[in-house]
Amino acid sequence: MLLFMPGCIGAQLKFYPVIAKSGPGPGGWQEACLEARMENMTTHDSHICALGIGMPIETRDNGYIPAWEAAEIATECINLASERIVLPAPPDNPSALVCLQFKDTFHLLLTERVLGARVNLGCRKDISPTRVGF
């Protein structure tokens, strides 16, 4: 299985405020959209893995998380999830199944770093996607 996702997407991944942070303390919400083309190099089965990535703007544990830092955290988790799920995927696994496994692992890793973060299949229509592997 091959995921077309180079390790340096952090500068490309853009988080946008969805709910503005108002006042001191925890609050606000930011999201990014990742569209990555996954292709099984054995069967040539291909799938666009579209993931909506959400993260608080400020939390009690992490403090203020600017968009650039949210992108760095997400990118680290994306790369680790890719190493755990995509690279060792058996050659007969459909790329859509690998996408689901990748999403679940990415979500687990991301919530370990930022409590309350989310990873969903699909993206908000008003968030410009970061497209990788096209």
Side-chain angles (χ1 to χ4, degrees), residues 30-60:
Q30 55 192 333
E31 290 191 16
C33 175
L34 175 68
E35 291 181 348
R37 185 168 69 89
M38 294 185 169
E39 182 176 348
N40 183 312
M41 299 310 289
T42 302
T43 66
H44 299 290
D45 167 53
S46 181
H47 179 75
I48 305 303
C49 190
L51 301 176
I53 308 161
M55 196 176 300
I57 294 174
E58 185 169 346
T59 71
R60 193 169 299 119

CSV table of all heavy atoms in Angstrom, one decimal, residues 30-60:
chain,number,residue,atom,x,y,z
A,30,GLN,N,-10.9,25.1,15.7
A,30,GLN,CA,-10.3,25.3,14.4
A,30,GLN,C,-10.3,23.9,13.7
A,30,GLN,O,-10.3,22.9,14.3
A,30,GLN,CB,-8.9,25.8,14.5
A,30,GLN,CG,-8.0,25.0,15.4
A,30,GLN,CD,-6.7,25.7,15.8
A,30,GLN,OE1,-6.3,26.6,15.0
A,30,GLN,NE2,-6.1,25.4,16.9
A,31,GLU,N,-10.4,24.0,12.3
A,31,GLU,CA,-10.4,22.8,11.5
A,31,GLU,C,-9.5,22.9,10.3
A,31,GLU,O,-9.3,24.0,9.8
A,31,GLU,CB,-11.9,22.5,11.1
A,31,GLU,CG,-12.7,22.0,12.2
A,31,GLU,CD,-14.1,21.5,11.8
A,31,GLU,OE1,-14.2,21.1,10.6
A,31,GLU,OE2,-14.9,21.4,12.7
A,32,ALA,N,-9.1,21.8,9.9
A,32,ALA,CA,-8.4,21.6,8.6
A,32,ALA,C,-9.0,20.5,7.8
A,32,ALA,O,-9.7,19.6,8.4
A,32,ALA,CB,-6.9,21.3,8.9
A,33,CYS,N,-8.7,20.4,6.5
A,33,CYS,CA,-9.2,19.3,5.7
A,33,CYS,C,-8.0,18.7,5.0
A,33,CYS,O,-7.2,19.5,4.3
A,33,CYS,CB,-10.2,19.9,4.7
A,33,CYS,SG,-10.8,18.6,3.5
A,34,LEU,N,-7.9,17.4,5.0
A,34,LEU,CA,-6.8,16.7,4.3
A,34,LEU,C,-7.4,15.8,3.3
A,34,LEU,O,-8.3,15.0,3.7
A,34,LEU,CB,-5.9,15.9,5.3
A,34,LEU,CG,-4.8,15.1,4.7
A,34,LEU,CD1,-3.8,15.9,4.0
A,34,LEU,CD2,-4.2,14.2,5.7
A,35,GLU,N,-7.1,15.9,2.1
A,35,GLU,CA,-7.5,14.9,1.1
A,35,GLU,C,-6.2,14.3,0.5
A,35,GLU,O,-5.4,14.9,-0.1
A,35,GLU,CB,-8.2,15.6,-0.1
A,35,GLU,CG,-9.6,16.1,0.3
A,35,GLU,CD,-10.3,16.8,-0.9
A,35,GLU,OE1,-9.7,17.1,-1.9
A,35,GLU,OE2,-11.5,17.1,-0.7
A,36,ALA,N,-6.0,13.0,0.9
A,36,ALA,CA,-4.9,12.2,0.5
A,36,ALA,C,-5.3,11.1,-0.4
A,36,ALA,O,-6.2,10.3,-0.1
A,36,ALA,CB,-4.1,11.7,1.7
A,37,ARG,N,-4.6,11.0,-1.6
A,37,ARG,CA,-4.8,9.9,-2.5
A,37,ARG,C,-4.0,8.7,-2.0
A,37,ARG,O,-2.8,8.7,-1.9
A,37,ARG,CB,-4.5,10.2,-3.9
A,37,ARG,CG,-4.8,9.1,-4.9
A,37,ARG,CD,-4.7,9.6,-6.3
A,37,ARG,NE,-3.4,9.8,-6.7
A,37,ARG,CZ,-2.6,8.9,-7.2
A,37,ARG,NH1,-3.0,7.6,-7.4
A,37,ARG,NH2,-1.3,9.2,-7.6
A,38,MET,N,-4.7,7.6,-1.7
A,38,MET,CA,-4.1,6.3,-1.3
A,38,MET,C,-4.2,5.4,-2.5
A,38,MET,O,-5.3,5.3,-3.1
A,38,MET,CB,-4.8,5.7,-0.1
A,38,MET,CG,-4.6,6.5,1.1
A,38,MET,SD,-5.4,5.7,2.5
A,38,MET,CE,-4.8,6.7,3.9
A,39,GLU,N,-3.2,4.7,-2.8
A,39,GLU,CA,-3.2,3.7,-3.9
A,39,GLU,C,-2.5,2.4,-3.5
A,39,GLU,O,-1.4,2.5,-3.0
A,39,GLU,CB,-2.6,4.3,-5.2
A,39,GLU,CG,-2.6,3.3,-6.3
A,39,GLU,CD,-2.1,3.9,-7.6
A,39,GLU,OE1,-1.8,5.1,-7.7
A,39,GLU,OE2,-1.9,3.1,-8.5
A,40,ASN,N,-3.2,1.3,-3.7
A,40,ASN,CA,-2.6,0.0,-3.5
A,40,ASN,C,-1.7,-0.3,-4.7
A,40,ASN,O,-2.2,-0.4,-5.8
A,40,ASN,CB,-3.6,-1.1,-3.3
A,40,ASN,CG,-3.1,-2.4,-3.0
A,40,ASN,OD1,-2.2,-2.9,-3.7
A,40,ASN,ND2,-3.6,-3.1,-2.0
A,41,MET,N,-0.4,-0.4,-4.5
A,41,MET,CA,0.5,-0.5,-5.6
A,41,MET,C,0.5,-1.9,-6.2
A,41,MET,O,1.0,-2.1,-7.3
A,41,MET,CB,2.0,-0.2,-5.2
A,41,MET,CG,2.1,1.3,-4.7
A,41,MET,SD,1.4,2.5,-5.9
A,41,MET,CE,2.5,2.5,-7.2
A,42,THR,N,-0.2,-2.9,-5.6
A,42,THR,CA,-0.3,-4.2,-6.1
A,42,THR,C,-1.5,-4.3,-7.0
A,42,THR,O,-1.4,-4.8,-8.1
A,42,THR,CB,-0.4,-5.2,-5.0
A,42,THR,OG1,0.8,-5.1,-4.1
A,42,THR,CG2,-0.5,-6.7,-5.5
A,43,THR,N,-2.7,-3.8,-6.5
A,43,THR,CA,-3.9,-4.0,-7.2
A,43,THR,C,-4.3,-2.7,-8.0
A,43,THR,O,-5.2,-2.7,-8.8
A,43,THR,CB,-5.1,-4.3,-6.3
A,43,THR,OG1,-5.3,-3.2,-5.4
A,43,THR,CG2,-4.8,-5.6,-5.5
A,44,HIS,N,-3.6,-1.6,-7.7
A,44,HIS,CA,-3.9,-0.3,-8.3
A,44,HIS,C,-5.2,0.3,-7.9
A,44,HIS,O,-5.7,1.2,-8.5
A,44,HIS,CB,-3.7,-0.3,-9.8
A,44,HIS,CG,-2.3,-0.6,-10.2
A,44,HIS,ND1,-1.2,0.2,-9.9
A,44,HIS,CD2,-1.8,-1.8,-10.7
A,44,HIS,CE1,-0.1,-0.4,-10.3
A,44,HIS,NE2,-0.4,-1.6,-10.8
A,45,ASP,N,-5.8,-0.3,-6.8
A,45,ASP,CA,-7.0,0.2,-6.2
A,45,ASP,C,-6.6,1.6,-5.6
A,45,ASP,O,-5.6,1.7,-4.9
A,45,ASP,CB,-7.5,-0.8,-5.1
A,45,ASP,CG,-8.5,-0.2,-4.2
A,45,ASP,OD1,-9.5,0.3,-4.7
A,45,ASP,OD2,-8.3,-0.2,-3.0
A,46,SER,N,-7.5,2.6,-5.9
A,46,SER,CA,-7.2,3.9,-5.4
A,46,SER,C,-8.4,4.5,-4.7
A,46,SER,O,-9.5,4.2,-5.0
A,46,SER,CB,-6.8,4.8,-6.6
A,46,SER,OG,-6.5,6.1,-6.2
A,47,HIS,N,-8.1,5.4,-3.7
A,47,HIS,CA,-9.2,6.0,-2.9
A,47,HIS,C,-8.7,7.3,-2.4
A,47,HIS,O,-7.5,7.5,-2.0
A,47,HIS,CB,-9.5,5.1,-1.7
A,47,HIS,CG,-10.5,5.6,-0.8
A,47,HIS,ND1,-11.9,5.6,-1.1
A,47,HIS,CD2,-10.4,6.2,0.4
A,47,HIS,CE1,-12.6,6.2,-0.1
A,47,HIS,NE2,-11.7,6.5,0.8
A,48,ILE,N,-9.6,8.3,-2.4
A,48,ILE,CA,-9.3,9.6,-1.9
A,48,ILE,C,-9.8,9.6,-0.4
A,48,ILE,O,-11.0,9.5,-0.1
A,48,ILE,CB,-10.0,10.8,-2.6
A,48,ILE,CG1,-9.7,10.7,-4.1
A,48,ILE,CG2,-9.7,12.1,-2.0
A,48,ILE,CD1,-8.3,10.8,-4.5
A,49,CYS,N,-8.8,9.7,0.5
A,49,CYS,CA,-9.1,9.7,1.9
A,49,CYS,C,-9.3,11.1,2.4
A,49,CYS,O,-8.3,11.8,2.5
A,49,CYS,CB,-7.9,9.0,2.6
A,49,CYS,SG,-8.3,8.6,4.3
A,50,ALA,N,-10.5,11.6,2.5
A,50,ALA,CA,-10.8,12.9,3.0
A,50,ALA,C,-11.1,12.9,4.5
A,50,ALA,O,-12.0,12.3,4.9
A,50,ALA,CB,-12.0,13.5,2.2
A,51,LEU,N,-10.3,13.7,5.2
A,51,LEU,CA,-10.4,13.7,6.6
A,51,LEU,C,-10.5,15.2,7.1
A,51,LEU,O,-9.7,16.1,6.8
A,51,LEU,CB,-9.1,13.1,7.3
A,51,LEU,CG,-8.8,11.7,6.9
A,51,LEU,CD1,-7.5,11.2,7.6
A,51,LEU,CD2,-10.0,10.8,7.3
A,52,GLY,N,-11.6,15.4,7.9
A,52,GLY,CA,-11.7,16.7,8.6
A,52,GLY,C,-11.0,16.6,10.0
A,52,GLY,O,-11.3,15.6,10.7
A,53,ILE,N,-10.2,17.5,10.2
A,53,ILE,CA,-9.3,17.5,11.4
A,53,ILE,C,-9.8,18.7,12.3
A,53,ILE,O,-9.6,19.8,11.8
A,53,ILE,CB,-7.8,17.6,11.1
A,53,ILE,CG1,-7.5,16.5,10.1
A,53,ILE,CG2,-7.0,17.5,12.4
A,53,ILE,CD1,-6.2,16.8,9.4
A,54,GLY,N,-10.2,18.5,13.5
A,54,GLY,CA,-10.7,19.5,14.4
A,54,GLY,C,-9.9,19.6,15.6
A,54,GLY,O,-9.5,18.5,16.2
A,55,MET,N,-9.7,20.8,16.1
A,55,MET,CA,-8.9,20.9,17.4
A,55,MET,C,-9.3,22.2,18.1
A,55,MET,O,-9.6,23.2,17.4
A,55,MET,CB,-7.4,21.1,17.0
A,55,MET,CG,-6.4,20.8,18.1
A,55,MET,SD,-4.7,20.9,17.5
A,55,MET,CE,-4.6,19.6,16.3
A,56,PRO,N,-9.4,22.2,19.4
A,56,PRO,CA,-9.7,23.4,20.1
A,56,PRO,C,-8.6,24.5,19.9
A,56,PRO,O,-7.4,24.1,19.6
A,56,PRO,CB,-9.6,23.0,21.6
A,56,PRO,CG,-9.7,21.5,21.6
A,56,PRO,CD,-9.1,21.0,20.3
A,57,ILE,N,-9.0,25.7,20.0
A,57,ILE,CA,-8.0,26.8,19.9
A,57,ILE,C,-7.2,27.0,21.2
A,57,ILE,O,-6.1,27.3,21.2
A,57,ILE,CB,-8.7,28.1,19.5
A,57,ILE,CG1,-9.2,28.0,18.0
A,57,ILE,CG2,-7.7,29.3,19.6
A,57,ILE,CD1,-10.0,29.1,17.5
A,58,GLU,N,-7.9,26.7,22.3
A,58,GLU,CA,-7.3,26.7,23.6
A,58,GLU,C,-7.9,25.7,24.5
A,58,GLU,O,-9.1,25.5,24.6
A,58,GLU,CB,-7.4,28.1,24.3
A,58,GLU,CG,-6.6,28.2,25.6
A,58,GLU,CD,-6.4,29.6,26.1
A,58,GLU,OE1,-6.7,30.6,25.4
A,58,GLU,OE2,-6.1,29.7,27.3
A,59,THR,N,-7.0,25.0,25.2
A,59,THR,CA,-7.5,24.0,26.2
A,59,THR,C,-6.8,24.2,27.6
A,59,THR,O,-5.8,25.0,27.6
A,59,THR,CB,-7.1,22.5,25.8
A,59,THR,OG1,-5.7,22.3,25.9
A,59,THR,CG2,-7.6,22.2,24.4
A,60,ARG,N,-7.4,23.7,28.6
A,60,ARG,CA,-6.8,23.8,29.9
A,60,ARG,C,-5.4,23.2,30.0
A,60,ARG,O,-4.5,23.7,30.5
A,60,ARG,CB,-7.7,23.2,30.9
A,60,ARG,CG,-7.4,23.5,32.4
A,60,ARG,CD,-8.5,23.1,33.3
A,60,ARG,NE,-9.8,23.7,33.0
A,60,ARG,CZ,-10.9,23.1,32.7
A,60,ARG,NH1,-10.9,21.8,32.6
A,60,ARG,NH2,-12.0,23.8,32.4
